[in-house]
Amino acid sequence: MELSPWQFAKSINKKIHLSAPAMFIHELVKNPGCIGAICPSSQKLARCMVSRIDTTQEGLIVELGAGTGVMTQALLDHGVKPENLLVIEFADNFYLHLKERFPQLSIIHGDAAQLRDLLPADVQINTIVSSLPLISLPPPVRQAIVSQWQSLLCETGQVVQFTYNLKSTYWQKDIHTTHYEEEFVWANIPPAKVMRFRFHS
């Protein structure tokens, strides 16, 4: 019986357990436009990303582009309850790895550009934590992703996003936000800029 690409990836994953850096290199070769790094984020960057998330607020926390789960683990360590965290990952190998590493979490194999279709109906989202390589995506795809963030987040909701392009101002040009702030994490390879913002005043 011929296997689908997803079934084939699953069968390979059971036989070969790649290290986190090896998984990133594999996905970079396989899907160069969807992977924004050649190695996982550092714990320093992950802690910075989640440090200002209010775990007492109602609503779901959605993580996009979880990779090998560095940010996912930081969210759990920060106090996010498993039932309040939804993880979405596009890459087959990363998805399978996350399912094995975090069996207690809801993890969806899907495309962030179709976020609205992947979420439960009438869900309330208070935070989106994104490791997506937005700056390297085609502008229409980036705009489709961000427009869904704007419509899906609750009134007090926030987005936490990072980029390795420390000088770029594309964010301010392409996306209208409020309460924008940024923070640099130098202890990461490469150094990163963490951006936090809201769409509503």
Side-chain angles (χ1 to χ4, degrees):
M1 181 177 67
E2 185 176 353
L3 297 177
S4 68
W6 187 88
Q7 290 171 323
F8 177 75
K10 186 175 181 181
S11 67
I12 293 298
N13 190 72
K14 288 181 177 179
K15 298 176 184 178
I16 303 174
H17 290 275
L18 298 175
S19 67
M23 275 193 282
F24 266 82
I25 293 173
H26 174 79
E27 290 300 329
L28 184 63
V29 173
K30 181 181 175 184
N31 296 303
C34 298
I35 304 298
I38 61 171
C39 62
S41 301
S42 69
Q43 292 184 5
K44 180 77 172 179
L45 173 58
R47 287 194 294 267
C48 179
M49 290 276 286
V50 307
S51 63
R52 300 190 193 179
I53 294 176
D54 185 354
T55 60
T56 65
Q57 282 191 340
E58 293 184 1
L60 205 61
I61 293 174
V62 177
E63 183 188 3
L64 302 176
T68 58
V70 175
M71 214 71 68
T72 312
Q73 186 61 59
L75 286 163
L76 295 173
D77 292 343
H78 184 62
V80 176
K81 296 179 180 178
E83 60 268 26
N84 292 338
L85 178 58
L86 178 66
V87 179
I88 296 175
E89 175 55 55
F90 178 76
D92 294 338
N93 284 336
F94 288 156
Y95 167 74
L96 294 170
H97 171 78
L98 292 166
K99 290 285 286 185
E100 182 177 343
R101 181 176 176 182
F102 303 104
Q104 78 277 31
L105 297 181
S106 296
I107 301 174
I108 296 176
H109 186 223
D111 188 342
Q114 301 169 355
L115 179 59
R116 186 177 288 103
D117 298 330
L118 300 175
L119 296 173
D122 301 321
V123 67
Q124 177 179 335
I125 301 175
N126 72 52
T127 302
I128 291 174
V129 179
S130 170
S131 299
L132 300 175
L134 286 182
I135 197 170
S136 65
L137 296 177
V141 175
R142 182 169 67 237
Q143 291 164 7
I145 291 172
V146 176
S147 66
Q148 289 179 84
W149 293 356
Q150 185 169 6
S151 63
L152 290 169
L153 277 169
C154 67
E155 285 294 320
T156 58
Q158 68 168 331
V159 174
V160 186
Q161 168 78 48
F162 80 87
T163 179
Y164 295 126
N165 191 325
L166 305 185
K167 296 182 179 180
S168 174
T169 58
Y170 80 95
W171 199 255
Q172 294 91 331
K173 291 180 180 179
D174 292 358
I175 303 165
H176 300 290
T177 64
T178 63
H179 304 290
Y180 178 89
E181 62 180 80
E182 57 187 39
E183 182 176 352
F184 295 93
V185 179
W186 303 108
N188 191 74
I189 302 175
K193 178 170 65 176
V194 175
M195 301 173 288
R196 302 181 187 91
F197 56 90
R198 304 179 189 277
F199 293 105
H200 308 285
S201 57

